[in-house]
Every structure is written in structure tokens, then in C-alpha cells.
Amino acid sequence: MINGSVPFLSPREKRILRRLARGYSDRAIAVQIGGRPEQVGEQRKRLLQKLQISSQSEIAEAAAKWASWPSYKFTTAVDELQHSENGGCEPPS
């Protein structure tokens, strides 16, 4: 993982990173934030190369460190889906 400096992450990269940390597939991410699964897959590869990470634990650590929502309360995709179906909205990136 990148040491020392804080990497610049676009809002979309942060959205992807948060969802990867929760174990979402490229397809699920594409449905949630837009785009095709192949596009998200390519963005995922570039993001992980940019951050120099590969394991799920490193992804989770990077998301907590560089892309977290301080008051974000959902822990699973099911929780988030139920929230959105009940009229909730995604916290800002």
C-alpha cells in the first residue's frame, strides 16, 4: 500500500473503493453508480494499481483511510439496498 502521501482519489474512485471493501462485484457496483461491469472492472484494476494494493484486507484498510464516510452506518449490501428501497439516499462522497 502507498506509504506516506495521501493519494488523490476522484469521487467515483472513492465510491468504487468503498464498495470493493464491502465485497461488491463489478456488476453490483455498475448498477449502483452507473456504467458497465467491464468499465467498473477496468477502473477497479487501475485504482488498485494506483494504491498499490491487492488483498481484501488492504482494500478495506484503504477505504477506511481514504474514502470513508464518518457517519455511514451500513455494513452490508443488504442493509444498503433495504435503505435505498425505503427512500434513503447515498451519503455524499
Side-chain angles (χ1 to χ4, degrees):
M1 186 180 308
I2 294 177
N3 293 319
S5 65
V6 176
F8 172 79
L9 298 177
S10 71
R12 185 170 178 89
E13 287 174 323
K14 289 178 182 181
R15 288 182 192 112
I16 291 171
L17 185 58
R18 285 190 292 262
R19 285 161 176 81
L20 289 173
R22 290 191 194 97
Y24 286 33
S25 67
D26 293 346
R27 182 175 184 274
I29 295 170
V31 168
Q32 288 187 354
I33 68 173
R36 297 180 331 277
E38 300 81 14
Q39 177 187 21
V40 170
E42 194 57 41
Q43 291 169 328
R44 173 183 40 81
K45 288 178 194 173
R46 286 195 308 263
L47 176 60
L48 298 181
Q49 287 175 345
K50 178 180 185 176
L51 298 176
Q52 300 172 4
I53 58 177
S54 58
S55 72
Q56 186 62 30
S57 63
E58 289 176 319
I59 292 169
E61 182 182 336
K65 193 173 187 179
W66 296 314
S68 66
W69 283 318
S71 62
Y72 193 60
K73 63 183 176 182
F74 304 112
T75 57
T76 68
V78 173
D79 290 340
E80 188 169 346
L81 180 60
Q82 288 173 345
H83 177 72
S84 65
E85 288 175 348
N86 293 326
C89 62
E90 180 181 54
S93 301

